[in-house]
Amino acid sequence: MAAARTSLGRVLPGSSILFLCDMQERFRHSIVYFPQIVSVAARMLRVARLLQVPALLTEQYPQGLGPTVPELGAEGLQPVSKTCFSMVPTLQRELDSRPQLQSVLLCGIEAQVCILHTTLDLLERGLQVHIVVDACSSRSMDPCPLFLGLAYSQVDRLTALARMRQSGAFLSTSEGLIMQLVRDAAHPKFREIQKIIKEPVPDSGLLGLFQGQNPLF
């Protein structure tokens, strides 16, 4: 009898969903690389719409933290208000209504709080989680003396990515996930998607996190 194979983390449009977490006005000036991560998340949403991948949007305490920023391009999505760090409790009914769901593509903030909590809850439900690493970030803070050259926020971001990977989540870039979703250059939407992936992707600070002998990866 063959041994069970480790999940390969394949992503298919018919069994995937895009989660967009808390990209709101009050975070605009406090999250490192905020415009860049919103731009990448918007890229993911454009592709999701082309490939008919459903998308869900949350807002953390919008009365105090404001609405979703317009540049995300989330018109037509009904934001779900939450106070829990995880997106899962407020989206429970949506998840339960999709028995074919296997993979969640996750973008947003903050990596060490809502993204991490959401990831752990989704993994506990038996779902595959794909973190869009160039569409996740953390707050801006002072330099950290333990990791020279990195702010505390980037240490939080880096450690959260490592923690989620340890727990079984997949780390990928937006382009990597987009190409998994489209699969074939013969896809009827490929030319439209090709235009999107040819657009310059903004630097969200990942090169600095992955350079050198990084003990967390």
Side-chain angles (χ1 to χ4, degrees):
M1 182 175 178
R5 294 180 63 186
T6 302
S7 171
L8 298 176
R10 297 239 185 236
V11 177
L12 302 172
S15 57
S16 298
I17 194 167
L18 177 64
F19 273 21
L20 302 165
C21 184
D22 306 350
M23 286 171 274
Q24 295 160 252
E25 285 291 348
R26 284 289 295 274
F27 294 123
R28 185 182 292 278
H29 301 296
S30 61
I31 298 294
V32 178
Y33 300 106
F34 184 81
Q36 292 88 339
I37 66 133
V38 171
S39 175
V40 174
R43 182 188 205 210
M44 291 296 300
L45 179 56
R46 288 164 64 194
V47 170
R49 284 172 164 161
L50 283 171
L51 297 178
Q52 298 183 322
V53 173
L56 296 176
L57 172 71
T58 59
E59 294 175 345
Q60 181 75 12
Y61 186 61
Q63 304 94 313
L65 297 174
T68 299
V69 295
E71 56 266 39
L72 182 60
E75 298 83 3
L77 293 183
Q78 181 61 47
V80 180
S81 175
K82 69 182 181 69
T83 57
C84 183
F85 296 141
S86 173
M87 299 172 73
V88 171
T90 54
L91 300 179
Q92 184 87 37
R93 189 171 298 175
E94 283 280 356
L95 291 171
D96 290 343
S97 70
R98 301 175 187 273
Q100 81 285 2
L101 183 63
Q102 294 180 13
S103 305
V104 178
L105 319 181
L106 183 53
C107 304
I109 56 177
E110 290 186 64
Q112 79 280 10
V113 188
C114 295
I115 298 299
L116 174 60
H117 282 247
T118 300
T119 295
L120 296 179
D121 280 355
L122 290 169
L123 290 170
E124 196 168 46
R125 288 178 64 100
L127 293 167
Q128 295 179 12
V129 182
H130 298 262
I131 310 299
V132 188
V133 294
D134 46 344
C136 295
S137 192
S138 301
R139 281 169 295 164
S140 174
M141 293 186 182
D142 295 330
C144 175
L146 297 178
F147 290 79
L148 297 179
L150 292 181
Y152 279 106
S153 64
Q154 297 306 283
V155 174
D156 282 334
R157 183 186 186 192
L158 179 64
T159 306
L161 292 174
R163 171 72 170 84
M164 290 184 279
R165 187 184 185 191
Q166 288 171 336
S167 296
F170 296 97
L171 305 185
S172 187
T173 62
S174 56
E175 183 165 332
L177 285 170
I178 289 167
M179 298 308 283
Q180 281 195 69
L181 286 167
V182 73
R183 291 178 66 86
D184 193 325
H187 192 288
K189 297 292 185 180
F190 179 71
R191 288 192 179 277
E192 291 175 78
I193 289 170
Q194 189 177 40
K195 291 177 184 177
I196 294 172
I197 63 176
K198 282 186 174 181
E199 295 171 4
V201 180
D203 174 24
S204 58
L206 288 172
L207 284 178
L209 296 183
F210 289 101
Q211 281 174 347
Q213 298 299 313
N214 195 314
L216 297 179
F217 284 94

